Amino acid sequence: MTESATFAIIGAGLSGAAAAWRLAQSGAEVIVLERDVPASVHGSSHGSARIFRYAYPDRFYVDLVVQSKPGWDELEAASGQRLITPSGSLDFGAVRDPRLLAGVLETAGVEHELLGGEEAKARWPQLNFDSEVLWHPGAGVIDAESTVEAMIHLAESAGAAVRTGWEAASVRRAASGYLITSATGETVHAEQVIVAAGGWLPRLLGGVDLPSGFLDALPEFEVRQENAFHFPYL
């Protein structure tokens, strides 16, 4: 038996969960297909420590964060949870270029301070600074796992269906829309498909009907491991 929906979303990490919440909230018929479980430890959206910050060298990304903040506030209100722990953020060193970042934040109207190294040392004596220091208090730590779970819960409350242990193997054009087939032979028909497969995207792309030349135009994917260390929240 083939399930049907207007929108099928492959992957229930942060991107897939956000799409599911907003589409279901708008009244669309949505089905989420997740190879494991939402915010799986094998994906990139698990754990309680992701960075929310405004300090990017490109104004485009700063503006995206500014535009996203009301959505985060809405999600926290709807879920009744604090999903971003306010902490502020420090940037220093030649690679981060605090003066450049401060200039971008200035043009975007984001609250910040540019401090000399000694001035910053007096405020944060536990740290050593080798350059000017950018401080912006609007940054924080995202609880990624709770965020995914909150958006999936809200999506389900709005009528979305979530299938776990459902690994998409192919997405093929049908007479109308698309037919998604799982690794075990189950099928879902959808008018539109959103692929948010994260690190499993390269494996899936070979089984997706894409426009001619699309794959050749993509850069090579490289999945890396990152170690993040956070200070206690004070």
Side-chain angles (χ1 to χ4, degrees), residues 90-113:
L90 293 170
D91 289 276
F92 61 95
V95 173
R96 287 297 289 162
D97 196 347
R99 184 165 290 274
L100 171 65
L101 295 174
V104 178
L105 295 187
E106 181 69 28
T107 64
V110 175
E111 182 183 1
H112 67 282
E113 292 181 76

Side-chain angles (χ1 to χ4, degrees), residues 172-234:
R172 302 300 186 192
R173 293 185 182 275
S176 66
Y178 300 86
L179 186 67
I180 309 165
T181 303
S182 77
T184 56
E186 298 167 285
T187 53
V188 168
H189 177 269
E191 294 302 317
Q192 300 289 335
V193 179
I194 298 172
V195 180
W200 287 271
L201 184 59
R203 182 190 305 178
L204 178 60
L205 280 178
V208 178
D209 283 341
L210 295 167
S212 176
F214 182 87
L215 286 179
D216 292 337
L218 286 177
E220 182 178 353
F221 287 90
E222 183 177 358
V223 180
R224 300 185 178 185
Q225 178 176 333
E226 177 180 345
N227 293 315
F229 300 91
H230 297 270
F231 296 101
Y233 309 142
L234 300 176

